[in-house]
Structure formats: C-alpha cells, structure tokens
Amino acid sequence: MPGAGTDSTKPWQEGGPVVILVEPQLGENIGSAVRAMGNFGLTRLRIVNPREGWPNPKAVTFASGADRILDNAELFPDLRSALADLNFVAAATARERGMQKSVLGADVVAAEAATRIAAGETVGLVFGRERTGLYTEEVSLADVILTLPVNPAFASLNLGMAVAVVAYEWFKLASGGALPFQQPDRYPIADKADLFAFFDHVERELDEALFFRSPEKQPVTTRNIRNIFHRVGLTRQDIATLHGMVAALVEGRRTREERTAARLGGKKRPAKTAPDEGGAGPES
C-alpha cells in the first residue's frame, strides 16, 4: 500500500551495503527495518533464522510498500553462511565486547562502506536480536564494531530504529546530503522601484498617524524602518501584500472615525495623543 511519501514515477534507489538481520523475533520489526532500508536506498536484505519463519505477513504490512526488498530477501540458517561472500562486515552493538576491534560510528562506517563498494567489494551491516542483540561470537565474525552515540543508561534501540539510523548515514553520504525538494521561488524578488514605492506609502501613512513625534529624529527612525524591510528580501508578492495591509489599516481607522463621529452627532472626537515611536526605538 503506497504511503504519503511514495512516488512510483521516481527511480528506486539501488545498491549500498547488505543488511543482515540475525534471528529477528517479530515480523513487525523486520518490516520496520525494511521500510527504513527503502527510505535510505538500501535494497539487499539477508535474514538469519527468523523466529517466526519466513515469509511473514506482518513484515509485509510494516514494510509499508517496500515489498521489493522483502521479495528479494535471502534466508540463511546461520550468520557464518550469511557473511561468506562479503568482503567487509560491521556488527552493530551497544555493548563493549572486550575485543581488539575498531569501534566506529555510523557515519564512519558509511564512509568506509562507500570506499570499499566503489572498489568493487561487498559490505555487510549486521544487526542482532531484539532482546539480546548479537552474541559475542557473532560480533567476532565482523571486521569492525558499529555503535551509536546513545544514552549509556538506555542504549537499546528498536531493530527498525537502529537500521534507520545507520541507513540514514549511508544515504546522506551517498546522495551528498541532497534534500528531496526545495521551496520553489514562485515570486521574483522585488526591485528597488517597488521597494521605494512601498517606503513612500508606509512612511506617508505613519506621518499621517503622527508616528513621527520628533522632527529631529524622524530621519533616523525612517532609516531604521527601511532597514527592517531591506533585511527581509521581499518579493513582489510580499510588497503587494504589505501595501494592502497598510491600506486596510488606514481605511479601517477612517471608518472607525466616521462611525464615532456619526454617533456623536457629527462632532468629531478629540484626537488621541499619539504614542512615541516604538518606545524603545531610536527616539527614546
């Protein structure tokens, strides 16, 4: 079943390291791991002696459309046979094993994998059981230990989560960190003539509203107001919207004055004392 982020018109990413799941206990976790693989461009899955047998319908459900990875998954009776044709293997574990092996983070493993795959080697990432992780003997079959910077008091990750973090580091490197989309520039940046016309408009209405209380400081305040809008990088659409906002405020104020005058029988209400220019602004 396709999800909110699926697009069948785009090419499916292929390749990368082989993901090996050792004796996974639940089909749901296998499916979650496969979904993460699909998210981040890993397509080769090997499953070692799954507890609930294979195929597993719950894995299909939790894979959320990454069916092709499940369809091509390879089943192995033990880890040794699953690793036999690989050239370089990283074993994921959250515990120190007392071994003379390099301990690498997911980003470093991704970089090592990319180099080796480019040289024609086959790389594997091994993940253990949900309850106990990998046995020490299984870790000893790997070239390096893969671990993550997690809370040492609570280091156990769900199987799907662990695969997702490592797969993310792989794909970030493989894709150059390119994001799938950017906000399109739908409106051109306003030119200076548009911007100056807006300055004239807003400054005229501020003057009418008695915003500029101090003639001596009005130039400084005007420059500060202009600099606010210069920093924003306004588009033509932004300028049009701001013109409309200022016009609506002016028209609304005049409408209120007219209604007040009508209620007072044609007598105008005494003008309020205008506030200072922003209180903590340059004129304070």
Side-chain angles (χ1 to χ4, degrees), residues 223-244:
R223 287 196 296 270
N224 288 340
I225 292 171
R226 292 176 180 178
N227 286 335
I228 291 172
F229 293 104
H230 275 303
R231 288 194 295 268
V232 175
L234 298 170
T235 67
R236 289 182 178 176
Q237 179 61 39
D238 294 332
I239 292 289
T241 301
L242 288 169
H243 274 299

Side-chain angles (χ1 to χ4, degrees), residues 5 78 84 92 96 116 122 124 140 166 171 201 214 219 227 237 261-262 273 279:
D78 54 64
E96 195 276 325
R116 290 177 176 274
T122 307
S140 73
V166 178
F171 197 63
H201 184 189
S214 171
N227 286 335
Q237 179 61 39
T273 300

Side-chain angles (χ1 to χ4, degrees), residues 58-80:
K58 291 181 180 179
V60 176
T61 301
F62 276 73
S64 300
D67 296 357
R68 69 182 70 195
I69 299 175
L70 289 174
D71 293 343
N72 295 320
E74 300 174 89
L75 202 63
F76 291 85
D78 54 64
L79 182 58
R80 291 177 68 95

